[in-house]
């Protein structure tokens, strides 16, 4: 597994307790996002290092999440139906920034949009949907800190699924091993991917996507 891991309790001491920022495992050039799928889609993706096959549709929206524990919350630690396999997807940071630049909020936010009409225009023009939702601890409890998730569709999803990806890893065995520790009350041994804040150093893009390093009160529906 290319993913680097460390102790969960240590990880929490290194991450901010609030705010909206990109928290992910990342290197100088790459960033990891997570997706969970049924076995047939995951098998094809790992074997071909791209998305496709008879059970994957490019005609629907596909959501990516840079935050591991947010993915665990959504997939039930790979136990929810059709989310039994968790994939770690390595992207160039330039590809992730392109996704961010093409993102529109799923709901109107007066702190970001000049008007409701401005928001509706962005929805029509952009192929990515952006949400900031409460991050969660390993047991599913909400945190003050918020995590980003991005829904891709259209030509941008096609590019992501067939061209943008550097590596697709199946990390399901790791996920199941950590869930087993939780089930046995051995939280002190829990491992999680090494994640840290990525400061994109683009004030304009930060403002457009709601990135900040202080707690705020933006509340959006938990849709996916």
């Amino acid at each position: 597994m290319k993913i680097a891991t460390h102790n969960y309790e240590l990880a929490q001491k290194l991450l901010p307790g609030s705010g909206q920022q990109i928290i992910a495992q990342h290197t100088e050039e790459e960033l990891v996002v997570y997706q969970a799928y049924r076995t047939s889609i995951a098998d094809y993706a790992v074997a071909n290092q791209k998305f496709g096959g008879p059970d994957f549709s490019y005609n629907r929206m596909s959501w990516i999440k840079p935050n591991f524990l947010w993915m665990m919350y959504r997939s039930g630690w790979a136990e929810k139906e059709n989310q039994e396999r968790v994939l770690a997807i390595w992207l160039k940071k330039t590809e992730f920034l392109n996704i961010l630049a093409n993102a529109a909020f799923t709901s109107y936010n007066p702190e970001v949009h000049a008007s409701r009409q401005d928001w509706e225009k962005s929805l029509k023009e952009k192929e990515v949907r952006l949400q900031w939702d409460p991050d969660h601890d390993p047991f599913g409890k909400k945190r003050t800190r918020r995590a980003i998730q991005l829904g891709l569709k259209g030509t941008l999803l096609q590019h992501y699924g067939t061209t943008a990806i550097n590596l697709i890893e199946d990390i399901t065995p790791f996920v199941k091993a950590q869930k087993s520790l939780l089930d046995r009350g051995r939280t002190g041994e829990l491992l999680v991917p090494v994640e840290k804040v990525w400061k994109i150093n683009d004030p304009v893009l930060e403002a457009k996507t709601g990135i900040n390093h202080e707690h705020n009160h933006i509340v959006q529906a938990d849709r996916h």
Side-chain angles (χ1 to χ4, degrees), residues 13-28:
K13 296 176 181 178
L14 301 176
L15 293 175
S18 61
Q20 297 184 163
Q21 50 254 311
I22 307 299
I23 295 177
Q25 178 151 147
H26 62 97
T27 66
E28 186 174 347

Side-chain angles (χ1 to χ4, degrees), residues 1 3 34-39 42-43 46 68 72 75 77-79 83-88 169-180:
M1 190 170 74
I3 296 288
Y34 301 97
Q35 294 189 272
Y37 286 108
R38 68 179 69 175
T39 294
D43 282 345
V46 173
F68 175 77
M72 294 306 97
S75 68
W77 289 86
E79 292 181 352
Q83 299 188 62
E84 301 90 351
R85 298 276 293 281
V86 178
L87 304 179
E169 289 187 287
D170 183 357
I171 62 167
T172 310
F174 169 75
V175 168
K176 290 186 178 298
Q178 303 318 303
K179 179 58 163 58
S180 177

Side-chain angles (χ1 to χ4, degrees), residues 77-192:
W77 289 86
E79 292 181 352
K80 289 185 179 179
E81 185 177 4
N82 295 325
Q83 299 188 62
E84 301 90 351
R85 298 276 293 281
V86 178
L87 304 179
I89 297 132
W90 293 77
L91 302 173
K92 288 183 179 179
K93 284 183 171 178
T94 52
E95 296 286 0
F96 189 83
L97 287 173
N98 182 55
I99 291 170
L100 273 185
N102 285 280
F105 279 85
T106 55
S107 59
Y108 173 60
N109 179 0
E111 296 182 22
V112 175
H113 306 108
S115 65
R116 185 171 290 275
Q117 290 72 27
D118 177 63
W119 167 64
E120 292 173 348
K121 183 173 182 286
S122 70
L123 284 179
K124 292 178 182 179
E125 294 177 348
K126 295 183 177 180
E127 292 187 319
V128 179
R129 297 292 176 263
L130 182 156
Q131 289 185 193
W132 291 101
D133 299 292
D135 200 354
H136 289 72
D137 72 10
F139 299 98
K141 182 180 178 181
K142 289 183 180 180
R143 295 186 177 280
T144 302
R145 180 177 67 232
R146 287 182 172 267
I148 195 170
Q149 61 173 335
L150 298 156
L152 285 61
K153 66 176 183 176
T155 57
L156 203 149
L157 174 60
Q158 187 80 31
H159 174 74
Y160 163 80
T162 62
T163 306
I165 294 170
N166 284 355
L167 174 68
I168 299 176
E169 289 187 287
D170 183 357
I171 62 167
T172 310
F174 169 75
V175 168
K176 290 186 178 298
Q178 303 318 303
K179 179 58 163 58
S180 177
L181 291 174
L182 288 178
D183 290 343
R184 289 178 285 157
R186 295 166 61 178
T187 54
E189 301 173 48
L190 181 68
L191 297 177
V192 294

